[in-house]
Amino acid sequence: MADDTALSLSRNLLRLAGSQLTIHHQRRIPTTGALIIISNHRSLLDVPLLMTAVGRPVRFACHHFMGQTQGIKQVINALGCFPLAPPGQHPKALFQKAMPLLQAGEVVGLFPEGARPMIQPLLTRQVGPFHRGFAHLALQSSMERLAIIPVAIAPTKEIITPIAPFKLFQWLAPSEPLFHRPGWHPAIYYRQVHVIIGQPLWITAKHRASYRNSRSNTEVKRLTQTCHTEIATLLQNSSMLSTDE
């Protein structure tokens, strides 16, 4: 029932926002088993957008601010999201929350760019540098079948509008350095957007052995760069896509 609620809410949020979604290569997504979904990130609509595209409930990690703000908190709970730890707290909080979900065969969603593109939006075909937490999570997992699915969100029509002064966000989340700036927090609403599913990257015993034996995190760097390159390529090629799929 909770799964149905999350999917239904995602579709309703996109409908309410007036977002026209075109999904490409949806058949690349396994219909069962544990998955890690990663994507570029520029809008609050990215969570319902990706959940609708995947067609399965996705347990997204979200900014700690969203888990402590009334109104937003209720929505992310209904979507099945789990807040990350505030700055300065131990990063293992992600693993403590996400690993049991993967072991239960669920889908976990992460935005490796972090929250910065929400504050300082990039151009629609750009992707920022990635944090490596998703790669560590995948390589520390123990399930026999686990895939990382890189996904590109490529809007063709969007609206950027200010929603509130950063001073308000500073008051609500004083520990978050991203909010310590002048001006207003922007919000992006998609009007037309492509969601392009990349090739699954299956995590094998060989990958995990290389990860355990590497002192320089070579396997983490390789996996992170592979996923970044895949999403960047999908974004660059998105101009050739049609809305007929």
Side-chain angles (χ1 to χ4, degrees):
M1 184 64 69
D3 291 353
D4 293 340
T5 298
L7 287 170
S8 177
L9 177 58
S10 294
R11 296 176 183 123
N12 287 335
L13 288 171
L14 294 179
R15 192 177 301 112
L16 184 64
S19 301
Q20 180 184 340
L21 165 64
T22 305
I23 307 169
H24 303 267
H25 312 304
Q26 192 174 30
R27 284 177 289 185
R28 290 175 174 172
I29 304 172
T31 56
T32 59
L35 301 173
I36 297 176
I37 303 292
I38 61 167
S39 171
N40 58 312
H41 189 32
R42 56 191 290 107
S43 172
L44 287 170
L45 293 173
D46 291 341
V47 167
L49 193 77
L50 289 168
M51 200 178 303
T52 300
V54 171
R56 294 174 58 185
V58 182
R59 303 294 301 276
F60 279 96
C62 64
H63 195 279
H64 69 93
F65 161 79
M66 303 180 75
Q68 63 189 41
T69 305
Q70 291 301 317
I72 298 177
K73 178 180 179 179
Q74 284 71 22
V75 174
I76 69 163
N77 285 343
L79 289 170
C81 302
F82 60 93
L84 294 172
Q89 292 194 14
H90 205 292
K92 282 191 176 180
L94 166 64
F95 298 83
Q96 292 168 351
K97 294 179 180 180
M99 197 67 77
L101 298 173
L102 293 175
Q103 291 170 343
E106 296 195 49
V107 184
V108 169
L110 298 167
F111 297 111
E113 292 172 291
R116 185 169 295 278
M118 299 280 291
I119 305 295
Q120 298 173 310
L122 301 172
L123 298 176
T124 55
R125 292 190 179 90
Q126 288 184 329
V127 58
F130 278 5
H131 298 287
R132 299 174 182 171
F134 77 94
H136 283 286
L137 178 65
L139 292 166
Q140 288 184 26
S141 65
S142 58
M143 60 281 305
E144 290 186 7
R145 286 180 59 82
L146 174 67
I148 300 174
I149 311 292
V151 183
I153 297 174
T156 53
K157 291 183 181 179
E158 64 181 22
I159 296 172
I160 303 180
T161 184
I163 55 172
F166 279 113
K167 287 185 178 179
L168 174 61
F169 291 91
Q170 290 177 33
W171 178 72
L172 291 170
S175 65
E176 177 50 67
L178 284 175
F179 296 153
H180 294 180
R181 63 186 66 222
W184 285 57
H185 194 308
I188 294 179
Y189 299 92
Y190 303 129
R191 289 294 177 257
Q192 292 183 353
V193 58
H194 295 279
V195 178
I196 314 152
I197 313 300
Q199 294 287 353
L201 285 85
W202 291 97
I203 304 302
T204 66
K206 183 178 179 180
H207 294 141
R208 294 186 176 106
S210 176
Y211 174 71
R212 289 192 299 270
N213 296 331
S214 173
R215 295 183 179 179
S216 59
N217 284 332
T218 303
E219 191 64 33
V220 169
K221 294 176 183 177
R222 184 198 66 79
L223 186 57
T224 302
Q225 185 57 54
T226 298
C227 291
H228 188 279
T229 299
E230 174 77 355
I231 291 176
T233 301
L234 293 173
L235 287 171
Q236 288 300 315
N237 293 338
S238 63
S239 60
M240 298 181 290
L241 298 172
S242 72
T243 58
D244 296 332
E245 291 193 28

